[in-house]
Amino acid sequence: MKRSLAFGVIVIAVVGLLGGAALLIAGQSRVSQDAIQSSVTRTPELIDSAWKLPVAATFNADVTWQSNGSRCGPASVANTFRSIGEGETTEAEVLAGTGMCWTGFCIIGLTLDELAEVARTNTKRKVSVLRNLSADAFREHMKRANDPGRRYIVNFTREKIFGAGAGHFSPVGGYLEAEDMVFVLDVNEDYKPWLVERERLFSAMDTIDSDGDKKRGLLLIE
C-alpha cells in the first residue's frame, strides 16, 4: 500500500513538473496582441474570400483551438481530419495509440516528423513530410493548396512573422493567388486565422527546428 502511494506521488510530481515546463515554454513564446494584429492581414473582404476557397470551405469557418500552448500539432491534425471526414477530430483521438503527449502536454512541442507519425497512426491516407523546399517549390505547393483532395499543415516559426514567438503548426486553408497570400488557419485562439504574403510564410517555414535539428516544412495529407 505504501509503495503504491509513493509511486502515485512520484507520478503526480513528474506530471506536474512536465506540465509546468510546457507552460513555461508557452509563456516565454508569447507575442503581444499589437504585434499579432499588425503583422498579418485580416481585411474583412480578403478573409471572407479566403473562407470561400475550396479547402477552407470544408472547415466551415470553424477552427477548434489547441488545448494548451504545446499541442498545436495534434490540434492541426484534428482540424484537418475533420475537414476531410476522418473520424478522429479531437486532440485526444489523434494522439491515441501514439504514446506521445501522454502527460497532456507535448513537452517542447512535436517535430514535423513526429507529427507525421501522429497523423499516420489514425488515417489510411498518404502522409508526406515536405522539407528543404525551394521558394519556387513552395509556391507550387501553395497553388495546389486549393485542391480539395489535398491538405497541408505548415510548420513555421512565429518570430519571422510576428517578431517573437516559437515554432508552431497550423493547417493551410488555401491560397489567394491574385494577392499571393496564404490563408493560415491558426489553431491558437489568441491569433485566429490570418493571411500572410507567401514569401513571408516561406521565410518562416524555411528555418531550423532546434528540437529536431532539421528544417521545418509542410505536412501533406492526401
Side-chain angles (χ1 to χ4, degrees):
M1 179 67 73
K2 289 183 179 178
R3 180 176 296 177
S4 297
L5 179 60
F7 179 75
V9 170
I10 291 171
V11 170
I12 292 171
V14 170
V15 171
L17 286 171
L18 292 175
L23 289 173
L24 177 61
I25 291 169
Q28 290 174 336
S29 64
R30 285 191 180 278
V31 178
S32 71
Q33 279 299 316
D34 286 344
I36 291 173
Q37 296 304 319
S38 63
S39 300
V40 292
T41 298
R42 286 199 181 85
T43 306
E45 294 79 7
L46 286 177
I47 291 291
D48 184 58
S49 295
W51 276 120
K52 293 176 182 177
L53 292 168
V55 169
T58 65
F59 288 81
N60 297 314
D62 179 39
V63 176
T64 301
W65 313 121
Q66 62 192 83
S67 61
N68 63 59
S70 71
R71 293 180 69 155
C72 55
S76 294
V77 172
N79 277 281
T80 299
F81 277 4
R82 173 170 57 84
S83 80
I84 53 179
E86 293 282 5
E88 291 74 18
T89 60
T90 69
E91 291 176 8
E93 288 169 342
V94 300
L95 287 168
T98 68
M100 298 185 189
C101 312
W102 61 272
T103 65
F105 296 92
C106 303
I107 307 304
I108 71 176
L110 299 179
T111 65
L112 186 60
D113 294 302
E114 287 171 337
L115 190 63
E117 289 307 309
V118 167
R120 291 183 184 120
T121 299
N122 288 295
T123 185
K124 294 182 179 180
R125 298 174 188 268
K126 182 180 178 182
V127 179
S128 304
V129 170
L130 308 174
R131 60 159 55 90
N132 298 312
L133 297 172
S134 66
D136 288 341
F138 181 70
R139 181 176 64 245
E140 292 306 309
H141 278 291
M142 291 303 94
K143 287 181 179 179
R144 301 191 67 184
N146 294 326
D147 179 348
R150 300 165 74 90
R151 296 292 186 279
Y152 290 94
I153 294 172
V154 62
N155 181 206
F156 63 99
T157 176
R158 290 203 189 278
E159 185 177 10
K160 289 280 188 175
I161 296 175
F162 298 96
H168 188 59
F169 288 98
S170 280
V172 173
Y175 178 54
L176 292 175
E177 189 167 356
E179 292 81 9
D180 197 19
M181 302 187 84
V182 181
F183 190 33
V184 178
L185 304 181
D186 204 314
V187 294
N188 187 313
E189 189 175 9
D190 290 340
Y191 292 79
K192 298 183 174 62
W194 38 268
L195 285 157
V196 67
E197 296 86 350
R198 173 186 50 80
E199 290 185 353
R200 291 180 62 206
L201 183 60
F202 173 74
S203 177
M205 182 196 75
D206 191 38
T207 52
I208 299 294
D209 182 348
S210 59
D211 182 35
D213 203 29
K214 295 180 181 178
K215 277 195 174 181
R216 297 180 172 91
L218 296 168
L219 199 64
L220 171 60
I221 302 173
E222 55 187 335

